[in-house]
């Protein structure tokens, strides 16, 4: 114990360590943990230890879940599900509410347990993680209560398999379990192997509140256990973790019909404009990349700062960095705790070395004892440096300067990822302009890492798909009303014919592909005799590539706004009605009439599929905005050649996407007839492109194309292949069965839901309260 006068000499902070005796008693009582299956704990099996990364001390023995354990848990969840879903919303809500209440009472216990197992400072687990967990269960207790009113005709999906990482162990559990069970699903959750303890404490809370057996099951283990869960008889997989594992899960679930939500990595930009409040921006860095030792998927790990203020910003940044206190996680005055595991520490140190070898300067960032790494940042990181694109997942940012806002945006979007972005500017004009242009699922203006249960969170591009939080997040755990499916006519194998072989008939006007608003001969010059008897162009890989290029050039379509797009779509409908008799004679009057109505229907929606403003905490304006994906691939069924094309293309373009469509393989002529109508209706060239040919071959090319951001596949077969082929850029693939297309309007919203991705934009009103930093807790 130092004397008072010694303290006066050094002015150091004294230790202020949170008491861990209650947690240690609990650990001693258990020592070896089994799984939580069907309401009780199984005997502990063979497994591994989890430890405190700050000291290396072993905390407990954990069982390695086998495929049999997973199967038992899924069986329990399956059995419990119908009864759980049949409870009234109010009844389910009261369980969620009880869980929230008990967690709230145990906040301190859970915070200490989380900090011990993960290494994060108690200040963070106490002030961010656990309060957000509580908020999540309360919020979703509300959704359970309101299910019948707010999601009429929706039902639970069934059993959800959920796999979470180690960076926010209990918070990620809450993000997954709360919406799932609120909606009437039951779950099997696998916590991360480095941090299973709070999930096991949560299992005890489920027992304590008398949650019906089997509603929540927890199986511990490593990636193998996770892989077994992916393979198991579940209806949905929700995963948060690395992009690499996300891809493996996409491939493993392809063609199974399992719903999928992937929340993956990021390399998010942190933009500091010339007019930013630089002190606030520096605090933003503290909250963004030095929060939780930078082990945050949405960390603003690429600092982009305006050249004019870069020097001043860096001075403030390094000064602030030096005041951060690295120390024991349980010390209440620790800012920087331990990295979760030696493996992760090594990864961080190795990546920093590689970055330096590639020409970067590392400021700070020295590795310490045990699992410690000091906060730091890398300067002089060119886009060719691995640190520019690789997720370091530690307290090390990169710092790059820019001159203009355009340059800032092009640097910001120069990444495969699209999880989050932070923008610092005192100008609302500048900040909102950048927020609109940056490609990410979440945007924080003048703040960082703001989370709330009401605000959807999730990524674009290779950061994954699906959202967690709020109304949009609930939809990922529900099935909406589904129209009856109609068996698809199996397409015939098309036989290629060269021009000559087409018996001198030549290729007339209607027998060309439609690319960039013009008729184009197919690349190979080949045609095929469609089952309809018509000679039609045989599109190939190169034609698809050309069509994607044309669709890319038409990106202004999104900028026209809903009203502008509606005008064009009304005009298409009008021109189609002018040709009603002629096209009706060729393709059926009913189909033409239904197509006209379909165009009107989605034109109506174009300016009415609204975003929402959600209530998080007082003082934040949080908007959730539907955004087009960009280029969509649309694979039509082999039926209803005119109507299916219109029915699928219309919702996609109404939302601002551009489309490469593969029409009904056996009868694509109707699609080319519709293309003529597009041409006379002010639809900008390239918004819709039509490539006829062998359905599944062309679908596979679209699935594998990195510039195609989303894919719809309609039909009985082939979903597995396109889902597998789509792992490259992790595009969301929606595969669905063929419908009676005359009835589609009744299900119009379902198509719009799949034509957008949501962007959540946080804008604090005025300045954030002094001293709170920007992490919203
Ligand atoms: P990971 O993706 O390997 O692990 C995340 C979870 O998935 C864990 O529960 C793990 O057991 C499980 N898992 C691993 N392999 C699996 C498989 N084949 N099938 C099913 N489940 C599987 O991530 P990690 O090894 O813990 O960390 C590696 C990197 O991932 C980090 O350095 C970081 O870049 C990234 N990461 C991202 C997040 C995020 O929030 N997006 C979280 C943690 C890690
Ligand atoms: Mn641990």
């Amino acid at each position: 114990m130092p004397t008072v006068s010694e303290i006066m000499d050094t002015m150091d902070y004294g230790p202020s360590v949170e008491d861990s005796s209650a947690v240690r008693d609990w650990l001693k009582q258990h020592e070896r943990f089994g799984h939580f299956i069907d309401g009780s704990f199984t005997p502990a099996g063979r497994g591994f230890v989890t430890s405190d990364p700050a000291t290396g001390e072993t905390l407990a023995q954990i069982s390695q879940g086998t495929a049999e354990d997973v199967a038992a848990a899924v069986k329990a969840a399956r059995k419990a599900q119908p009864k759980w879903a049949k409870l009234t919303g109010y009844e389910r809500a009261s369980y969620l509410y009880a869980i929230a209440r008990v967690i709230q009472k145990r906040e301190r216990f859970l915070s200490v347990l989380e900090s011990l197992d993960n290494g994060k400072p108690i200040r963070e687990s106490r002030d961010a993680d656990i309060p957000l967990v509580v908020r999540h269960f309360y919020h979703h207790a509300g959704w359970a209560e309101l299910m019948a009113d707010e999601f009429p005709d929706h039902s639970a999906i069934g059993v959800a398999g959920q796999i979470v990482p180690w960076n926010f162990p209990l918070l990620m559990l809450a993000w997954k379990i709360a919406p799932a069970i609120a909606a009437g699903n039951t779950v099997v959750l696998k916590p991360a192997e480095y941090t299973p303890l709070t999930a096991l404490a949560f299992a005890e809370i489920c027992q304590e509140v008398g949650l019906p057996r089997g509603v929540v099951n927890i199986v511990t283990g490593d990636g193998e256990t996770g892989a077994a869960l992916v393979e198991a008889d579940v209806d949905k997989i929700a995963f948060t973790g690395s992009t690499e594992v996300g891809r493996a899960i996409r491939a493993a679930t392809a063609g199974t019909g399992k719903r999928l939500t992937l929340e993956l990595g990021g390399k998010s930009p942190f933009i500091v404009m010339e007019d930013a409040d630089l002190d606030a921006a520096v605090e933003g860095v503290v909250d963004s990349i030095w929060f939780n030792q930078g082990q945050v998927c949405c960390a603003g790990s690429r600092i982009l700062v305006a050249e004019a203020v870069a020097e001043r910003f860096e001075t403030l940044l390094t000064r602030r960095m030096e005041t951060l206190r690295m120390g024991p996680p349980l010390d209440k005055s620790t800012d920087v705790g331990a990295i979760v595991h030696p493996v992760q520490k090594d990864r961080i140190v190795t990546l920093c070395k590689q970055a330096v070898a590639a020409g970067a300067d590392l400021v700070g960032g020295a590795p310490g004892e045990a699992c410690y790494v000091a906060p730091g940042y890398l300067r002089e990181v060119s886009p060719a440096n691995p640190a520019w694109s690789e997720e370091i997942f530690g307290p090390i940012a990169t710092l790059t300067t820019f001159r203009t806002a355009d340059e800032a945006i092009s640097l910001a979007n120069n990444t495969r990822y699209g999880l989050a972005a932070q923008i610092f500017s005192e100008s609302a004009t500048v900040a909102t302009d950048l927020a609109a242009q940056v490609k990410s699922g979440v945007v924080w203006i003048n703040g960082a890492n703001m989370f709330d249960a009401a605000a959807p969170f999730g990524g674009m591009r290779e950061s994954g798909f699906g959202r967690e939080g709020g109304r949009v997040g609930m939809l990922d755990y529900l099935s909406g009303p589904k129209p009856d499916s109609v068996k698809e006519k199996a397409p015939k194998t098309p036989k290629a014919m060269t021009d000559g072989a087409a018996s001198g008939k030549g290729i007339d006007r209607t027998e060309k592909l439609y690319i960039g608003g013009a008729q184009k001969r197919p690349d190979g010059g080949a045609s095929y005799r469609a089952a309809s008897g018509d000679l039609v162009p045989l599109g190939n890989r190169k034609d698809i590539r050309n069509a994607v290029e044309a669709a890319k050039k038409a990106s202004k379509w999104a900028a026209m706004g809903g009203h502008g797009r509606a005008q064009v779509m009304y005009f298409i409908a009008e021109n189609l009605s002018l040709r009603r008799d002629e096209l009706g004679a060729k393709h059926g009057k009913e189909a033409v009439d239904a197509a006209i109505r379909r165009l009107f229907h989605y034109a109506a929606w174009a300016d009415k599929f609204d975003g929402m403003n959600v209530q998080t905490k007082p003082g934040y304006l949080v908007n959730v905005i539907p955004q087009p994906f960009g280029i969509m691939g649309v694979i039509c069924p082999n039926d209803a050649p005119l109507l299916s094309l219109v029915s699928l293309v219309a919702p996609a373009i109404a939302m601002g996407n551009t489309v490469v469509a593969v029409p009904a393989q056996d009868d694509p002529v109707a699609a080319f007839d519709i293309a003529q109508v597009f041409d006379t209706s002010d639809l900008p060239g390239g918004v819709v492109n039509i490539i006829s040919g062998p359905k599944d071959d062309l679908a596979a090319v679209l699935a594998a194309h990195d510039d195609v951001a989303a894919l719809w596949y309609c039909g009985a077969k082939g979903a597995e292949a396109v889902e597998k082929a789509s792992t490259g850029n992790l595009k969301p693939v929606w595969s669905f069965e063929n419908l009676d297309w005359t009835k589609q309007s009744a299900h119009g919203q379902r198509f719009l839901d799949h034509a957008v991705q949501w962007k959540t934009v946080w804008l604090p009103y005025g300045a954030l309260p002094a001293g709170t930093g920007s992490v919203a807790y």
Side-chain angles (χ1 to χ4, degrees):
M1 201 63 168
T3 64
V4 172
S5 62
E6 277 165 5
I7 290 172
M8 295 303 278
D9 276 347
T10 64
M11 290 299 280
D12 268 353
Y13 287 84
S16 167
V17 181
E18 187 77 25
D19 179 11
S20 61
S21 52
V23 168
R24 290 188 189 282
D25 288 348
W26 181 80
L27 288 170
K28 232 180 256 143
Q29 261 172 40
H30 288 280
E31 230 171 293
R32 298 165 61 83
F33 286 90
H35 311 293
F36 181 65
I37 297 175
D38 204 18
S40 42
F41 282 90
T42 62
R46 279 160 36 104
F48 51 94
V49 299
T50 186
S51 47
D52 171 358
T55 61
E57 173 202 0
T58 294
L59 296 171
Q61 287 280 335
I62 304 298
S63 302
Q64 165 72 7
T66 61
E68 290 74 50
D69 296 324
V70 168
V74 170
K75 194 171 159 210
R78 182 69 67 201
K79 192 160 154 243
Q81 200 271 326
K83 228 171 141 190
W84 177 247
K86 237 188 245 137
L87 294 184
T88 64
Y90 171 71
E91 285 167 319
R92 276 200 308 279
S94 39
Y95 286 109
L96 277 110
Y97 172 81
I99 290 172
R101 204 74 189 98
V102 174
I103 294 175
Q104 200 166 29
K105 282 193 223 155
R106 297 277 152 75
E107 270 189 1
R108 227 180 66 100
F109 176 91
L110 291 166
S111 304
V112 171
L113 183 60
E114 197 76 302
S115 282
L116 270 182
D117 203 7
N118 167 282
K120 61 173 67 198
I122 184 76
R123 221 159 41 85
E124 290 179 8
S125 49
R126 181 196 65 196
D127 297 349
D129 294 61
I130 309 302
L132 280 166
V133 170
V134 172
R135 162 81 178 129
H136 238 76
F137 278 99
Y138 277 128
H139 180 78
H140 287 91
W143 283 123
E145 163 72 23
L146 299 176
M147 265 274 289
D149 298 321
E150 292 296 301
F151 301 103
D153 310 319
H154 283 62
S155 54
I157 298 170
V159 177
Q162 307 182 313
I163 300 167
V164 295
W166 40 260
N167 51 350
F168 296 90
L170 193 64
L171 181 56
M172 291 300 105
L173 172 150
W175 280 23
K176 299 254 174 321
I177 291 185
I181 66 174
N185 303 280
T186 55
V187 306
V188 177
L189 177 130
K190 191 201 80 66
E193 53 271 44
Y194 301 155
T195 55
L197 292 174
T198 45
L200 294 164
F202 177 81
E204 288 189 349
I205 292 174
C206 293
Q207 285 182 321
E208 191 178 331
V209 304
L211 188 74
R213 295 185 326 163
V215 172
V216 167
N217 303 273
I218 311 273
V219 178
T220 52
D222 61 12
E224 267 183 46
T225 311
L229 182 53
V230 170
E231 295 291 339
D233 171 33
V234 294
D235 304 301
K236 167 171 176 126
I237 290 289
F239 171 79
T240 299
S242 61
T243 296
E244 189 195 344
V245 173
R247 269 192 234 289
I249 292 177
R250 166 71 289 184
T253 54
T256 61
K258 288 174 189 167
R259 298 251 306 253
L260 187 58
T261 299
L262 296 176
E263 202 269 272
L264 310 175
K267 191 77 188 177
S268 298
F270 187 108
I271 306 174
V272 183
M273 298 304 286
E274 200 173 322
D275 64 353
D277 173 341
L278 294 186
D279 294 304
V282 166
E283 272 328 291
V285 174
V286 174
D287 287 337
S288 180
I289 184 70
W290 294 333
F291 171 69
N292 199 12
Q293 293 69 249
Q295 303 167 114
V296 185
C297 50
C298 49
S301 52
R302 283 185 301 137
I303 303 172
L304 307 172
V305 55
E307 205 173 80
V309 294
E311 211 181 307
R312 170 98 189 116
F313 175 78
E314 242 192 291
T315 306
L316 294 170
L317 186 69
T318 45
R319 196 188 293 163
R320 180 70 177 97
M321 193 170 89
E322 280 152 17
T323 66
L324 292 171
R325 288 188 303 274
M326 195 158 81
L330 289 188
D331 189 324
K332 283 176 280 221
S333 47
T334 288
D335 296 304
V336 180
I339 300 297
V340 70
H341 194 269
V343 168
Q344 286 296 316
K345 180 195 180 186
D346 286 348
R347 210 190 111 116
I348 296 165
V349 174
T350 307
L351 275 166
C352 286
K353 279 194 189 134
Q354 287 169 357
V356 170
D361 288 336
L362 178 60
V363 183
E369 309 256 289
C371 283
Y372 285 91
V373 177
Y377 63 94
L378 291 153
R379 315 175 79 247
E380 311 293 336
V381 177
S382 66
N385 192 307
W388 176 263
S389 45
E390 283 287 311
E391 194 178 24
I392 297 177
F393 229 66
I396 316 288
T398 63
L399 188 143
T400 309
T401 60
F402 62 84
R403 293 208 172 130
T404 62
D406 283 349
E407 200 192 340
I409 278 298
S410 75
L411 286 169
N413 287 336
N414 177 5
T415 168
R416 305 175 283 137
Y417 294 116
L419 192 49
Q422 18 267 304
I423 296 164
F424 279 78
S425 165
E426 288 300 282
S427 154
T429 324
V430 171
T432 49
D433 180 37
L434 295 178
Q437 292 185 63
V438 71
K439 290 181 181 148
S440 67
V442 184
V443 180
W444 291 302
I445 293 174
N446 292 334
N449 276 338
M450 304 178 220
F451 304 110
D452 188 83
F457 182 92
M460 296 182 177
R461 309 211 254 179
E462 290 182 35
S463 292
F465 46 78
R467 292 291 178 267
E468 299 186 297
R471 176 185 296 275
V472 175
M474 279 297 287
L475 286 172
D476 277 341
Y477 280 101
L478 289 167
S479 295
K482 251 199 223 136
D484 294 337
S485 60
V486 169
K487 202 165 172 312
E488 186 197 15
K489 204 166 61 181
K492 300 224 165 59
T493 313
K495 238 193 252 133
M497 300 175 169
T498 58
D499 285 4
S503 59
K505 264 191 166 180
I507 296 184
D508 73 17
R509 207 192 49 56
T510 60
E511 293 161 337
K512 287 187 185 155
L513 301 170
Y514 182 63
I515 300 177
Q519 281 133 25
K520 290 263 160 66
R521 292 195 46 183
D523 167 59
S527 309
Y528 67 103
R529 182 75 64 191
S532 62
D534 299 289
L535 194 63
V536 293
L538 187 73
N540 64 18
R541 177 177 299 269
K542 187 125 181 271
D543 296 311
I544 292 278
R545 281 209 297 264
N546 293 338
V548 170
E549 283 311 307
K552 205 185 287 177
K553 290 200 189 105
S555 62
K556 289 245 156 56
W557 175 244
M560 279 175 66
H563 173 68
R565 292 194 297 271
Q567 294 305 296
V568 173
M569 292 177 69
Y570 285 130
F571 195 29
I572 297 172
E574 208 178 302
N575 284 328
L576 184 55
S577 77
L578 288 177
R579 296 183 57 184
R580 180 171 175 261
D581 292 341
E582 173 217 338
L583 291 177
K586 230 169 135 184
H587 305 297
K589 274 211 165 57
E590 252 193 357
V592 175
D593 285 346
I596 294 167
R597 288 206 25 217
R598 193 74 10 103
L599 286 158
F600 261 84
H601 184 76
Y602 286 113
W605 270 118
D607 65 347
K608 289 170 202 70
F609 192 74
D610 291 329
M612 57 204 101
N613 171 256
V614 295
Q615 297 187 51
T616 55
K617 291 170 65 84
Y620 296 89
L621 180 64
V622 182
N623 281 305
V624 184
I625 305 163
Q627 304 256 295
F629 285 107
I631 304 171
M632 285 181 62
V634 170
I635 316 298
C636 299
N638 196 34
D639 285 299
L642 187 136
L643 190 53
S644 70
L645 178 101
V646 170
S647 298
L648 293 173
V649 166
I653 65 173
M655 295 297 101
N657 298 287
T658 59
V659 168
V660 177
V662 175
Q665 179 181 315
D666 285 352
D667 190 6
V669 171
F672 295 117
D673 283 345
I674 290 287
Q676 290 176 4
V677 180
F678 292 157
D679 267 350
T680 54
S681 313
D682 297 341
L683 185 73
V687 174
V688 178
N689 307 276
I690 299 171
I691 308 293
S692 56
K695 175 182 176 182
D696 286 332
D697 295 352
L698 297 177
V701 178
L702 280 166
H705 199 304
D706 279 347
D707 292 332
V708 176
L711 189 70
W712 287 357
Y713 181 92
C714 179
K717 289 192 297 169
E720 178 175 354
V722 290
E723 286 175 5
K724 273 226 170 80
S726 74
T727 55
N729 72 348
L730 282 164
K731 62 176 68 69
V733 176
W734 184 38
S735 32
F736 48 96
E737 286 171 25
N738 188 31
L739 311 177
D740 176 352
W741 294 97
T742 58
K743 294 184 183 146
Q744 188 213 13
S745 292
H747 303 280
Q749 277 223 44
R750 180 164 172 253
F751 291 81
L752 299 168
D753 279 338
H754 286 94
V756 299
Q757 51 189 347
W758 296 94
K759 185 188 248 186
T760 302
V761 181
W762 287 70
L763 177 64
Y765 290 112
L768 289 156
T772 59
S774 52
V775 178
Y777 50 68

